[in-house]
Every structure is written in C-alpha cells, then in structure tokens.
Amino acid sequence: MTEFKSLPTGRQAIVFPPDIEDKGVAAVSNTGLAIQNHIKGLAELSDVYYVSHTFTGVANDGVCKFLIKTSASSILDTEIEIDSEGTWHVDIYENPTVTAMGTELVAYNLNRRDTSTINARFFYTPTATGGTQIVDATTGHGMLGMAKNHTQFWKLAENEDYLIVITNKSGGEAEGAIQLIVYETGLPVTSSTSSSTSSSSSSSTSSSTSSSTSSTSSSTSSSTSSSSSSSTSSSTSSSTSSSTSSSTSTETSTSSSTSSSTSTSSSSSTSSSTSSSTTEVSIPEMQTNAADLVGANGADLNGQILDLGGEPLDIIGFVWDDESHGDPGDVAPVDSDYEFSMTQGGSFSSFDEFDTTIGDLTPETQYWFRVCGHNSAGWDYGEELTFTTTA
C-alpha cells in the first residue's frame, strides 16, 4: 500500500494498487491519477494556478534560483516539482534576505474560462541569500528509478518569502525546470467575546421598644399616632411607628404618665446586572511607508500602526489606484474611491512595519496607495504615496 499524504488542500488519499506482480508501479500510477483528479476538481473551482520556468544550458555546479512571495492575506498550498537532466541538488529556504526580485513570472489559472488572479508572486534569477533551510534534497531518487525529478508538498505561510535553489550536479551541462501548482486559501478569522455579571443584596431589620413615666399637672390626655410608608425601585423599604400616651392628675397634685412606643423598620434591596467591561475606543492612526521591490507587474506596499485607539485592530490592509484620491475617511476600502484594495482580518497590536505584495500592475505606470486600519471605532487611512512600475 502506498500512502500519499499531502495533496494541495491538505487532504489525504490512500491508494490501494491492483493485485499484479509489480505492485509498486501500479501504486505510482494510481497515486498520479488521484493527484490529477484532485487538481482537476480544484481547477473547476478556479482556485488553482500553474507557474514554471526552465533553466537551460546550466554548467556543472551552476546554481539557479526561484523566489515565491506569498500574500499577507492568504496561505499557499503548493506542489513544487523539480525536473532535471541528470542529478541536481535542491535547497529551499524560508524568509531569505532579498535584495532584488529578478524577473517576474505569470501564474496561470488552470480554469482558462475564469479571469481570477493569484495574490502570490513568483520570480526567477532573484538576488537572495540566507534564510531558514527547510529542504536539503537531491533529484533522481524518485520512486522506482523514474525520471530525474523531485516533488515537495508545502503549505506556505502568509506574508513570507521562499527561495528555491537548484544546483546542477550531473557532471556536465544540463537543463533544469521548476514547476509549481498552487492553491491559495484565506486566513482563519479570529473573534472574542467577554461578559460579566454582578449582583448585590442587602437587608436590615431594626426594632426598639421604649417606655417612660413622667408626671403632669391637672390634665388628662390621650393620643395615638401611627404612620407607615413603603416604596419599591430595585429595592423595598418599609417603616411603621406607633405611640400611645396617657396621663391622669388629681387635686392632690399626683400625676402619672405612661408612654410607650414601638418602631420597626426593615429594608431590603437586591440588584442584578449584566455588563460588558469596555475601554473607550477611538479610531486608530495609520502611517503609509514607501513601496519597495517594485517591478513591471508588481510591488510591495508598506505601512504601520501608529496608534491602536485603545484596542487591537481587527483589519489592516492597503488601497491603490492608477490615479490619486483624497483621504477616504471613515469608510471601508471597498467604499473608497480607490479601484483596488487588499485587507487582512485578525488581531493586530504590533507597531512594527507590515507589508503586502500586489500584482497585475501595468508596466511603466504610476500608482497611488494608502495603508488602512480598522477597530470598533472605525477606519483610518495613512498618507497617500506613489510609485512607478518598471518597463
């Protein structure tokens, strides 16, 4: 049984070969068919792109380079295939130092009836070095001694550079080719919820009884009074008081008086509330930085957050156009006057510079762009800057 784990979408396919003498050959054939059928299904959805380049007349120990720049707004499921005459060495580096991107290649949608384009960009002969090495391999070790090739399946992270370096180890001049089949997917969305509940209650009861006797002269009186009151407003209170007094006197100037009073008061209150604790939030402040790595058909746009406005941003991005526009104000990019926009959702609280790679630009054309950011208070746009694509 041959297990093929890494199809472009990360799904798994397990292929059981037919019961013939050379089961390995059948497994290879059926695995290839499974891949082809899977890619065909993705092509129907217009989500799969193909890009390639062939390096010809490469001397022994000659080095060829190929650069992948992923978008800040998407993840790239990638099948990387190296085909070569003779043996070649394959190295792949993540996040290399790039000083020149080289010549840009077009990534073709496998569904030729669809005009959708990919956000990632691809270049050959870049000037790039270093990075974290994630592949160290050699072509020619394919299954069952097949043609000299090497295939890798990767889920490439957003907003990263990946450098493929192939070196001719065939012993003479040879040809090497790099082919990619890529499937671009969006980033996962993050969300947060908070709530708090508080309740308080209190009650009190007091009572007192008092009596007193005093003397009076030539008078008899009797009085009774009572009062009661009650009120309710998230609390209830009541009080009752009563008093009685009487006095009797005779000609012998003997007097007596008795008074008695009783008061009782009670109060109780109960409150219950549900609240969501928030900090006062204002619109964030964004800063547009100069574009770089400008080519004939693409560029890197740069920007950063200057002020969060009291909470992490939930959207960052850029707008651009081939004509200038005023500050869009507190509106979403799609509602601005700029024709093109690219945004990314998440939780953003870093003040470091961030960038995104844009493509499908027209050579020798001036473009204007702004960075944008959003929190719960609204949108902000940075200053408008400009760049001009090369020939």
Side-chain angles (χ1 to χ4, degrees), residues 328-369:
D330 185 12
V331 298
V334 294
D335 297 322
S336 72
D337 292 331
Y338 287 85
E339 183 176 358
F340 306 102
S341 65
M342 180 182 294
T343 58
Q344 176 183 350
S347 179
F348 308 98
S349 57
S350 171
F351 297 102
D352 294 339
E353 182 178 87
F354 60 88
D355 69 344
T356 192
T357 301
I358 61 173
D360 294 325
L361 304 182
T362 303
E364 300 182 275
T365 301
Q366 187 174 13
Y367 287 88
W368 287 260
F369 71 100

Side-chain angles (χ1 to χ4, degrees), residues 300-330:
D300 272 13
L301 308 183
N302 301 292
Q304 65 189 102
I305 303 169
L306 294 183
D307 189 340
L308 295 173
E311 68 178 12
L313 274 62
D314 56 2
I315 303 174
I316 57 174
F318 295 88
V319 293
W320 68 95
D321 204 344
D322 57 4
E323 57 181 295
S324 177
H325 300 288
D327 190 329
D330 185 12

Side-chain angles (χ1 to χ4, degrees), residues 68-75 95 156-162 187 300-301 316 344 353-357:
I68 304 172
K69 289 184 69 65
T70 61
S71 165
S73 60
S74 55
I75 299 167
N95 196 26
L156 303 182
E158 70 279 8
N159 205 27
E160 285 282 5
D161 294 341
Y162 293 89
L187 299 177
D300 272 13
L301 308 183
I316 57 174
Q344 176 183 350
E353 182 178 87
F354 60 88
D355 69 344
T356 192
T357 301

